[in-house]
Amino acid sequence: MSYVDEVYKYVVEKNPAQPEFHQAVKEVLESLRVVIEANEDEYRKSAFLERLVTPERQILFRVPWVDDKGQVQVNNGFRVQFNSAIGPYKGGLRFHPSVNLGIIKFLGFEQVFKNSLTGLPIGGGKGGSDFDPKGKSDREVMAFCQSFMTELYRHIGADTDVPAGDIGVGGREIGYLYGQYKRIKDVYEGVLTGKGLTYGGSLARTEATGYGLLYLTQEMLKCNGIDIKGKTVVVSGSGNVAIYAIQKAQQMGAKVVTCCDSTGWIYDPEGIDVALLKEVKEVKRARLTEYAAKRSSAQYHEGKGVWTVKCDIALPCATQNELDLEDAKTLVKNGVIAVCEGANMPTTLDATKYFQENKVFFVCGKASNAGGVATSALEMSQNSERLSWTFEEVDSKLQNIMINIFHNLDDAAKKYGVEGNYVAGANIAGFLKVADAMKAQGIV
Ligand code: NDP
Ligand code: 2IT
């Protein structure tokens, strides 16, 4: 059996009941086959892939807190410090009832390659909790965040591990987490990113993931002779990534006609009204029915459905495995040209394969959504030098980073004989830097 296949089998056996982690590993290992098999004995002898797929450290903890009725609630807390070969662990925190160790491991594993692709000195990690912020009062969210940080603080630090936001963790949660860290440690340092602008946050971090997704999408299309202007775009999600992806796509002259949340979706043939969407989702934290109620051109549908809308470009920006083979077939039938992932692993493996076989330009999240973590690393730089850069400065660095990521993955795909396979290109380019650093640092 080839070494790559042995290690995939090993991962499935050693990590039972973690299908998302298996899926993320499978995608990366398949891409790396060409690199590993050129030097298989050496990689096997140093158990290189076993080390790559095993987190350096996994922290699991209890998070007790008191709700508004005086009832004690208990949630599970996680932080997986996956790989620190090229820098301190870096990656978001997810608060969602579906969170479990397998989900955090898949996200942490992806983060290792994503962070490498940014070209910045950040290792990979991820964390979170099965806490559901939906419907909770601000006081309950604060109580939860303070309890979560009361355990997490001992494992993180500006040069050790720097968490940020993800699903369910935005500016409000980062603020409460930061306040508790500072209170316990008595150190004012850039231990979290995505902070508010009055206490060390970076301009453009809020917009960065969505904007970065569009910068990369535009560059990829341009290199294939296609102008994004005038294209119809379908977006899923209506959170941080989706909102700023919609905004930047519109600024580039495309028309975005959908968005969704976990209960329903909007079709708005006039184009999504971003100001209204922000009011409904960022300010009121309400359902999309409120968007439809205030906008006569919008149709609201219950359940899942954005992928049935005819489009040129699809940008999944909600969650993992939200776009399956049936959805891919519908999109291809409707003439989709490009799919770029704003979320982490939103496309199932068979759907990805179907897009690639049908000549749809497909870029995986670890490349196309890297603008968020890249700008987090820029926030770390600003915190270290105790200066703040202008919006234009950060945004222009972000654009350069996204353009470079596309060219690096495109070049890697060409060099390794898989031209046009942007998934393989991203995984190989991300891997090579981490692998070089791991080899140089010995068996650790
Ligand atoms: P938010 O919490 O701001 O928004 C998430 C959106 O996705 C919401 O509209 C939410 O609906 C929807 N959603 C979440 N879970 C589900 C589900 N199980 N089924 C259907 N819809 C769902 O998160 P972000 O925008 O920050 O994150 C979106 C994706 O982007 C995630 O995959 C995340 O890992 C990834 N990502 C985020 C980055 C960042 O900087 N924030 C950076 C890179 C990637 P509802 O409103 O009903 O909850
Ligand atoms: O998935 C991701 O890259 C994020 N949620 C952002 C991580 C970060 O550290 O900014």
Side-chain angles (χ1 to χ4, degrees):
M1 197 188 279
S2 84
Y3 179 43
V4 161
D5 294 323
E6 277 166 34
V7 173
Y8 181 66
K9 195 164 162 267
Y10 165 91
V11 167
V12 173
E13 279 169 13
K14 290 273 179 189
N15 303 274
Q18 297 183 353
E20 293 85 2
F21 181 52
H22 304 167
Q23 181 182 342
V25 170
K26 186 172 193 168
E27 184 213 276
V28 169
L29 289 183
E30 279 309 324
S31 300
L32 296 183
R33 196 180 281 279
V34 40
V35 181
I36 303 298
E37 290 184 357
N39 235 330
E40 200 178 57
D41 292 346
E42 198 185 313
Y43 280 114
R44 188 188 271 116
K45 184 142 194 246
S46 64
F48 196 86
L49 294 179
E50 287 86 339
R51 286 188 285 138
L52 190 73
V53 299
T54 306
E56 288 175 14
R57 191 175 297 108
Q58 305 182 54
I59 301 144
L60 276 66
F61 52 100
R62 179 172 72 202
V63 190
W65 56 282
V66 183
D67 72 15
D68 284 348
K69 296 190 186 106
Q71 173 66 48
V72 174
Q73 302 284 345
V74 180
N75 285 101
N76 294 299
F78 304 88
R79 186 72 183 167
V80 172
Q81 300 179 328
F82 221 109
N83 190 303
S84 62
I86 65 169
Y89 309 107
K90 181 83 197 86
L93 298 172
R94 176 177 292 189
F95 293 170
H96 192 271
S98 64
V99 163
N100 57 43
L101 184 59
I103 300 264
I104 299 299
K105 277 165 70 180
F106 116 65
L107 290 162
F109 184 69
E110 295 253 301
Q111 201 82 44
V112 174
F113 305 94
K114 181 194 305 193
N115 293 4
S116 168
L117 281 169
T118 66
L120 300 167
I122 38 178
K126 199 85 187 190
S129 175
D130 52 8
F131 172 73
D132 186 358
K134 258 198 209 106
K136 303 288 190 298
S137 69
D138 280 354
R139 195 213 60 82
E140 288 176 320
V141 171
M142 181 172 74
F144 174 81
C145 287
Q146 290 180 340
S147 181
F148 186 84
M149 186 53 87
T150 301
E151 173 57 33
L152 188 68
Y153 86 94
R154 68 189 87 241
H155 308 290
I156 62 176
D159 295 313
T160 314
D161 182 355
V162 183
D166 193 81
I167 290 177
V169 178
R172 174 181 61 171
E173 292 74 19
I174 293 291
Y176 294 147
L177 290 163
Y178 189 74
Q180 185 72 352
Y181 179 85
K182 185 163 61 64
R183 183 182 185 199
I184 298 174
K185 270 224 173 152
D186 196 20
V187 182
Y188 207 103
E189 60 171 356
V191 66
L192 297 168
T193 59
K195 300 185 291 299
L197 297 177
T198 50
Y199 62 96
S202 173
L203 285 160
R205 175 60 188 91
T206 306
E207 295 84 354
T209 311
Y211 279 20
L213 171 65
L214 268 297
Y215 295 145
L216 186 139
T217 303
Q218 186 181 42
E219 183 68 12
M220 185 270 287
L221 291 173
K222 195 174 104 194
C223 291
N224 287 290
I226 300 163
D227 191 351
I228 193 167
K229 200 164 172 224
K231 296 289 181 290
T232 300
V233 180
V234 157
V235 168
S236 65
S238 52
N240 174 264
V241 180
I243 287 172
Y244 295 96
I246 296 170
Q247 188 173 67
K248 185 52 73 177
Q250 290 177 343
Q251 286 171 8
M252 288 175 170
K255 187 189 229 187
V256 184
V257 293
T258 66
C259 63
C260 72
D261 62 18
S262 48
T263 49
W265 60 286
I266 293 284
Y267 174 56
D268 191 341
E270 300 280 301
I272 298 291
D273 178 340
V274 175
L276 176 59
L277 186 62
K278 285 173 78 166
E279 173 69 19
V280 171
K281 283 291 167 184
E282 289 183 343
V283 182
K284 293 191 177 153
R285 300 180 189 273
R287 311 311 311 167
L288 284 172
T289 41
E290 290 216 14
Y291 176 96
K294 293 219 167 100
R295 180 130 166 120
S296 56
S297 57
Q299 301 164 17
Y300 175 81
H301 304 272
E302 286 289 322
K304 183 184 156 172
V306 296
W307 313 126
T308 61
V309 174
K310 186 172 164 51
C311 66
D312 304 304
I313 299 166
L315 304 174
C317 297
T319 193
Q320 65 274 357
N321 293 327
E322 55 164 315
L323 197 168
D324 63 19
L325 182 58
E326 283 313 304
D327 302 322
K329 286 182 178 168
T330 308
L331 283 161
V332 168
K333 191 165 65 113
N334 286 336
V336 74
I337 304 166
V339 179
C340 297
E341 296 183 328
N344 286 309
M345 210 170 74
T347 313
T348 60
L349 289 176
D350 52 2
T352 301
K353 192 157 166 263
Y354 190 80
F355 284 134
Q356 291 173 328
E357 284 168 357
N358 286 277
K359 306 281 172 256
V360 175
F361 300 115
F362 181 88
V363 186
C364 56
K366 60 171 80 70
S368 46
N369 73 34
V373 75
T375 307
S376 277
L378 301 179
E379 182 172 327
M380 290 165 72
S381 298
Q382 293 169 77
N383 292 164
S384 296
E385 62 174 15
R386 300 189 194 282
L387 291 173
S388 317
W389 306 338
T390 63
F391 187 94
E392 290 69 28
E393 223 173 328
V394 179
D395 189 40
S396 120
K397 286 187 203 301
L398 171 63
Q399 289 185 44
N400 286 333
I401 290 167
M402 299 314 294
I403 289 171
N404 281 337
I405 290 176
F406 176 69
H407 288 283
N408 286 342
L409 68 85
D410 190 35
D411 290 348
K414 286 177 182 149
K415 186 170 168 201
Y416 284 89
V418 283
E419 183 165 356
N421 184 339
Y422 299 144
V423 176
N427 286 326
I428 293 169
F431 169 78
L432 290 175
K433 180 178 174 188
V434 174
D436 187 71
M438 283 175 70
K439 285 176 195 166
Q441 292 171 28
I443 306 301
V444 289

